[in-house]
């Protein structure tokens, strides 16, 4: 009887591992492909060969990298039942995932700064972003490396636990401190700043449009109004996604009970946030949507001019 019970428990564990690994792999691969497509098309569409397009590509790269870690590290380890969660390699992969998490939220912040700078200080925008976007991206990615260096500290570890299907901060004073302050508080603060900057941008654009209203045709007014709505909705959706993910990871996961509930509020929420971020890029970018509807343009060699996707 004892052997039969052990075999049943083993079969149940294998089924759970298979289901968890399949979910992680499916969500990870779909999100990875979506974000990778965003990176590729940002270089193919001529209208996006701009500072904004390059920053968007950097942001999608970060999302794709995080989802690649879920797909090619977390899912296989869960399926194969590896339990060496806190090995050196596992901790370094966790550190790498946090590096890309920081580059993702910093990308949002720099994109918001890009928008407000071009509206308020065009001359400063030319100095900061025009033909210098690659240096801006390199600068904040290097800064993100400094964030990731914090996790070299003794006990400041972050790793994926394949036994319970979710990421874990070390149960040490350092691990819990960096998890709360550097991940949750800092992440929510950045999302709030991005939202505030985008709201300010919207107010500036609306004031400008009122001043230009007498010179614009009704069709032009409608087009601008629609674009303004997309502008603030995109900012709200992205900010909401990441804030909801942080809240779920750090608080909701502490309230729920059971392996599956905790995994859903941590691992799956993290994957869904980055996959959803890639979807938002396509939903609120007319050029990318139109290119997707014409596969012949994607397969070409030359960049795609705006007139081809109007």
């Amino acid at each position: 009887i004892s052997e039969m019970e052990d075999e049943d428990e083993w079969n149940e564990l294998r089924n759970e591992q298979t289901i968890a690994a399949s979910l992680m792999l499916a969500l990870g691969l779909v999100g990875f492909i979506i974000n990778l497509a965003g990176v590729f098309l940002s270089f193919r569409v001529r209208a996006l060969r701009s500072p904004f397009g390059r920053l968007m590509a950097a942001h999608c790269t970060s999302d794709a990298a995080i989802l690649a870690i879920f797909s090619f590290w977390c899912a296989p380890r869960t399926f194969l039942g590896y339990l060496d969660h806190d090995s050196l390699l596992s901790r370094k992969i966790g550190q790498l995932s946090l590096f890309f998490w920081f580059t993702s939220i910093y990308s949002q912040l720099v994109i918001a700064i890009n928008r407000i700078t071009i509206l308020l200080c065009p001359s400063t925008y030319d100095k900061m972003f025009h033909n210098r976007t690659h240096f801006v991206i390199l600068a904040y990615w290097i800064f993100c490396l400094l964030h990731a260096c914090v996790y070299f500290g003794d006990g400041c570890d972050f790793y994926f636990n394949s036994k319970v299907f979710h990421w874990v901060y070390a149960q040490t004073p350092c691990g819990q401190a960096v998890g709360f302050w550097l991940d949750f508080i800092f992440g929510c603060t950045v999302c709030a700043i991005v939202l505030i900057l985008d709201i300010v941008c919207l107010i500036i654009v609306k004031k400008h449009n009122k001043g230009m209203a007498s010179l614009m045709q009704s069709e032009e007014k409608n087009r601008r109004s629609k674009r303004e709505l997309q502008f603030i909705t995109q900012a709200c959706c992205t900010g909401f996604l990441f804030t909801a993910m942080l809240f779920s990871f750090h608080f909701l996961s502490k309230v729920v009970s059971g392996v599956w509930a905790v995994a859903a509020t941590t691992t799956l929420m993290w994957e869904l946030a980055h996959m959803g971020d890639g979807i938002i890029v396509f939903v609120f970018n007319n050029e990318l949507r139109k290119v997707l509807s014409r596969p012949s343009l994607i397969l070409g060699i030359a960049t795609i001019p705006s007139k081809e996707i109007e």
Side-chain angles (χ1 to χ4, degrees), residues 123-183:
S123 59
T124 304
Y125 174 84
D126 288 337
K127 294 177 182 178
M128 284 182 62
F129 294 101
H130 191 61
N131 295 327
R132 292 181 176 85
T133 312
H134 294 87
F135 293 105
V136 173
I137 294 172
L138 179 62
Y140 76 78
W141 276 52
I142 290 174
F143 192 68
C144 289
L145 277 175
L146 300 178
H147 278 240
C149 284
V150 172
Y151 298 90
F152 280 113
D154 186 29
C156 303
D157 300 319
F158 182 69
Y159 50 85
F160 180 75
N161 188 329
S162 58
K163 184 178 181 180
V164 290
F165 317 139
H166 68 82
W167 293 86
V168 177
Y169 282 98
Q171 296 298 314
T172 62
C174 181
Q176 297 305 298
V178 294
F180 181 75
W181 293 104
L182 196 55
D183 189 0

Side-chain angles (χ1 to χ4, degrees), residues 3 34 73 76 160 170 202 208 223 231 244:
E3 290 181 358
I34 291 172
W73 174 256
F160 180 75
L202 181 65
H208 176 74
R223 186 182 67 80
F231 182 76

Side-chain angles (χ1 to χ4, degrees), residues 111-120 193-209 228 231-232 235:
I111 289 172
I113 293 173
N114 172 272
R115 290 168 178 161
I116 199 166
T117 303
I118 197 172
L119 291 173
L120 293 179
I193 292 173
V194 169
L195 185 58
I196 291 170
L197 290 176
D198 283 330
I199 290 174
V200 172
C201 286
L202 181 65
I203 293 171
I204 294 171
V205 171
K206 279 188 172 294
K207 286 184 176 180
H208 176 74
N209 287 350
E228 289 165 9
F231 182 76
I232 192 62

